[in-house]
Structure formats: structure tokens, C-alpha cells
């Protein structure tokens, strides 16, 4: 099947073949700007045309109205009151702007004309020209005599009774408006070209100003690697609000990436260390067992030791898998969980370990304290909490209290008489793979118990509190929000999460 190259600008086109932002802006805005300026120039020229022609037609309309005013109210065509002696009626020279007047009877016979008509170098025919209706767009009706152009207007004269007395015909030399309009049009054309070029240049400059920080972000993005995450976008003080917001958001993204990469590196190093130590011990036991022949009982003892070590590795890997799934999957479906019953069940599960160490394990729970959550996750959190309490307590006991806070939230508190922690250790106790000094000497562990508890509580929008005193014990409190009415009353296992120790 033949593969055709991608069309530039299509979604699957390579970045280098896509049109630039500046080009797209010019191609989209440029024609609109040029067209808008062209329309404005056309409107300006049309306004000038209308003004010139309206002024010319108004001059003739004024003469017609004066004639009608002088003749109005009569039943006969009496023209004696009209101002025939005015200079522009007597003279035909350009300096007085002559107006040529002719009056005709209804049947087209010339009755009287202004004296300046006789001063023209050619004979003016005594003929009435047609009456043209007035339109919205002013136009000049012209004729030519002796190589000179005239424009005219012919209108009827009416008696007081409404009858037609005759016609008045007024003419005037055509003003030199065409050359004026052509000159004005040429000036508008030049201005249109100048403004179009200027605005296109302004658009190109604005596009470059917008693209400058984007190029900076692109350069930073290309220079950032997993080994070099310190580079940041420089935001100049003159940057626009949107540009500054984009730059700050990109820098914040780099900060988060740097934090996550640093956490991933620490997590990888700790995980490698935590897995290497027991694996090395396992390898040592195997090598020791293979050096010489041993009794069956000795081999069974070695296998039991390997089983314990491998069980610890499996629990560590399950804890890591649970943390990874919580980080990746986020929100989960919730149901009502009976926290009192759950705490009692988990206490029964760790009771043999407590009896083996001679510890008192007690549960004091209010009747049916309910919380909104994922049952399997909450069960893991309580199991890890009790396992830690029993593991790091030499003598005394572990007490579990389940109740509600003053504002109706579910509360589970586990108090032990174990080795305890300092304030500095409490501040970092929930970090992954962290183990306190005294706890590390007392028992083996992965350092994931409290970090898993904290992550589960966070996913339930709850709160984890640590209070501890070295040599006296630790109190861990889990606060979970009160269930809402929309949470189903059943407790289905919506999300399968691997078992952890």
C-alpha cells in the first residue's frame, strides 16, 4: 500500500513541516486587515464622491426652489419676481459660477432664459430636457456644448390650483470634481498600501514578541535531561501576564519533575539496597549449605530460614506494588466500612504474634464505627499498624481504640509500649524505606509499613498522626472522614490490591 506524505499543517505532519505561528497569523489576519482597510478606503472615497455630487446637485436644487417660490401661489406663469439681474444669471465667466436658467411652457415652448446664455460662444438650443427622478444616490445628468460639459436639472412649475404652469431648467458647468476624486482615490490607495504594510509588520512584530518566550521554553525543554534538571525559563520583567503565567507554570512543572526524579532515584537506591541485603544473605546461606554434606535436619533448618527470608522479600515487593498502584490509579470506588469489626478481625489475626512475645493485645471499639473507604486498603493499613506495634514492642502491650471525633469522623488509635521514636524520627518515619535506629536494631523490616499506611490514609482524604516518646512507646491515630449519603452500604472489593505484611 502506497504511503503518501503528510500535507503541511495536517495533524500528523512533522513539526518542521508545519507552518509557523507567525505565518499562520499573517495568512489569517493579513487578508482580513487588508480587506478591512480596503473597505474603509472605499467608504471614504464613496463619502467624498457623495459629498461632491450632493454639493453640485444642491446648487441646482436651490435655484429651482427659488423659482418655485417666486411663481408659487399664481395661476399664470409670471416670472417678474425672479432675480434675473443677479451676477451669476447675467454673466457667463467662471469667477461668478454662472447658472443658466430656462423656463418653458407645458408644451415645451421657451418663455424666458437668463442673460448669460446669450454670452456663451455657442448657441444653446431652446429645448426642454427630460425630467429625471431623484434617487438615493446623487447623479449628474450632463450635456456638452462647445466642448464644455454642463449638468442640469429640469423640474415642473405648478399653479396654486395644482395645475402645471411650465418647466424650469437650470444648468451649470460641471465642476472639476473628477480630477479631485481621482487624486483623493490615489491618496487613499497609497495610504491603504502604507497602512496595510505597517499593520502587517506590526502583526509580525507582535507574533515575534509572543514567540520569543516560547522559543525560550523550547530551548529549556530541549536542554533538560534526567541528569540536568536545574535549567529554568527566564521570565523578563516586561513579559505579558499570559507569557509570565506560562513561564511560571513551565518552571513549576520542572520543579515537580525534579522532585519526582529525585524521589525516584532515592526510591530506586533504597529499594535496591533493601532487596540486595536479604538476597545476599540468602545467597550466603545457600553457599554455606552447599559447602559440605549436612544432615536432613540441618537442610530443613536452612530451608526454614530461606522461607522466612523469602517471605520478607515477598511482603516488601507486595508493599511496593501496592504503593505503585496507589500512585498510579488514584481514586477508587468507596463503600461503608465497619471500622470496629475490621479492627477486631485484624487484632485476632496478629494475636498469635502478640502471645508469642507475651504482649497484651486489647481492642476497645464503639459499636459499629463506620467510615467511607475501600475495605481491602483499610484492612491493609490496620494490619500494618498492628504488625508494627507488636514487632517493635518488647514488653507491655498494644491497645487499639476505635471511636468518633467531635465532628463525626471515624478515629482508630493504636498505642504500644515499644521502643518509641524521637521527634526527628517521627518527622521522617512515613518516608519509604525509612527505619529508626532502635527499630532497626530490634527487628528486621522493609521500612514500608508506615509509608504504606500514610499513602492509604491520604487516598481516603484522611489524616495520620504520630506521637512517640523514645523508650515509652508510640501512638498512631488514623482519622477518616464521615461517610456521605451517596456511599453504598455494602462493602464490595472494588479494587484488587496485593496483600502486604
Amino acid at each position: 500500500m502506497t504511503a503518501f506524505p503528510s500535507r503541511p499543517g495536517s495533524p500528523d505532519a512533522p513539526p518542521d513541516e508545519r507552518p509557523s505561528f507567525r505565518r499562520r497569523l499573517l495568512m489569517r489576519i493579513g487578508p482580513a486587515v487588508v480587506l478591512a482597510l480596503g473597505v474603509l478606503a472605499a467608504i471614504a472615497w464613496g463619502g467624498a464622491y457623495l459629498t461632491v455630487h450632493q454639493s453640485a446637485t444642491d446648487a441646482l436644487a436651490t435655484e429651482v426652489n427659488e423659482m418655485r417660490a417666486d411663481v408659487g401661489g399664481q395661476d399664470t406663469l409670471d416670472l417678474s419676481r425672479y432675480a434675473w439681474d443677479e451676477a451669476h444669471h447675467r454673466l457667463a465667466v467662471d469667477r461668478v459660477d454662472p447658472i443658466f436658467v430656462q423656463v418653458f411652457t407645458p408644451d415645451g415652448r421657451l418663455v424666458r432664459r437668463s442673460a448669460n446664455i446669450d454670452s456663451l460662444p455657442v448657441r444653446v438650443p431652446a429645448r426642454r430636457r427630460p425630467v429625471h427622478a431623484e434617487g438615493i444616490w446623487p447623479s449628474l445628468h450632463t450635456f456638452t456644448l462647445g466642448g464644455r460639459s454642463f449638468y442640469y436639472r429640469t423640474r415642473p412649475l405648478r399653479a396654486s390650483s395644482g395645475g402645471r404652469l411650465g418647466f424650469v431648467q437650470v444648468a451649470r458647468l460641471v465642476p472639476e470634481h473628477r480630477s479631485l476624486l481621482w487624486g483623493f482615490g490615489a491618496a487613499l490607495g497609497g495610504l491603504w498600501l502604507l497602512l496595510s504594510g505597517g499593520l502587517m509588520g506590526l502583526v509580525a512584530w507582535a507574533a515575534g514578541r509572543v514567540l520569543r518566550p516560547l522559543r525560550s521554553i523550547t530551548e529549556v525543554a530541549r536542554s533538560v535531561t534526567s541528569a540536568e534538571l536545574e535549567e529554568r525559563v527566564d521570565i523578563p520583567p516586561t513579559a505579558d501576564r499570559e507569557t509570565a503565567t506560562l513561564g511560571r507554570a513551565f518552571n513549576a512543572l520542572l520543579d515537580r519533575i525534579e522532585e519526582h526524579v529525585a524521589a525516584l532515584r532515592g526510591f530506586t537506591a533504597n529499594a535496591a539496597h533493601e532487596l540486595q541485603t536479604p538476597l545476599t544473605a540468602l545467597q550466603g546461606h545457600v553457599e554455606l549449605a552447599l559447602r559440605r554434606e549436612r544432615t536432613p535436619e540441618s537442610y530443613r533448618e536452612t530451608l526454614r530460614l530461606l522461607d522466612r527470608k523469602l517471605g520478607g522479600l515477598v511482603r516488601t515487593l507486595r508493599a511496593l506494588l501496592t504503593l505503585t498502584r496507589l500512585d498510579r490509579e488514584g481514586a477508587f470506588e468507596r463503600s461503608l466500612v465497619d471500622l470496629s469489626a475490621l479492627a477486631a478481625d485484624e487484632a485476632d489475626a496478629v494475636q498469635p504474634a502478640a502471645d508469642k512475645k507475651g504482649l497484651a493485645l486489647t481492642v476497645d471499639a464503639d459499636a459499629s464505627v463506620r467510615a467511607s473507604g475501600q475495605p481491602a486498603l483499610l484492612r491493609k493499613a490496620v494490619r500494618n499498624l498492628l504488625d508494627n506495634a507488636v514487632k517493635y514492642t518488647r514488653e507491655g502491650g498494644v491497645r487499639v481504640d476505635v471511636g468518633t471525633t467531635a465532628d463525626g469522623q471515624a478515629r482508630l488509635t493504636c498505642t504500644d509500649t515499644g521502643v518509641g521514636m524521637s521527634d526527628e524520627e517521627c518527622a521522617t518515619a512515613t518516608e519509604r524505606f525509612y527505619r529508626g535506629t532502635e527499630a532497626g536494631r530490634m527487628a528486621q523490616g522493609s521500612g514500608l509499613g508506615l509509608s504504606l499506611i500514610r499513602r492509604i490514609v491520604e487516598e481516603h482524604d484522611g489524616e495520620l498522626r504520630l506521637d512517640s516518646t523514645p523508650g515509652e512507646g508510640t501512638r498512631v491515630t488514623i482519622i477518616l472522614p464521615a461517610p456521605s449519603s451517596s456511599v453504598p452500604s455494602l462493602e464490595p472489593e472494588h479494587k484488587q490490591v496485593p496483600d502486604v505484611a
Side-chain angles (χ1 to χ4, degrees), residues 89-106:
H89 292 153
R90 291 184 298 105
L91 304 177
V93 294
D94 293 342
R95 60 184 177 82
V96 299
D97 188 15
I99 295 179
F100 307 95
V101 181
Q102 293 174 298
V103 179
F104 298 90
T105 60

Side-chain angles (χ1 to χ4, degrees), residues 118-139:
D118 298 330
S119 301
L120 293 174
V122 294
R123 179 177 175 278
V124 177
R127 177 172 58 86
R128 179 179 67 81
R129 298 184 181 277
V131 177
H132 298 282
E134 296 183 7
I136 299 177
W137 186 268
S139 58

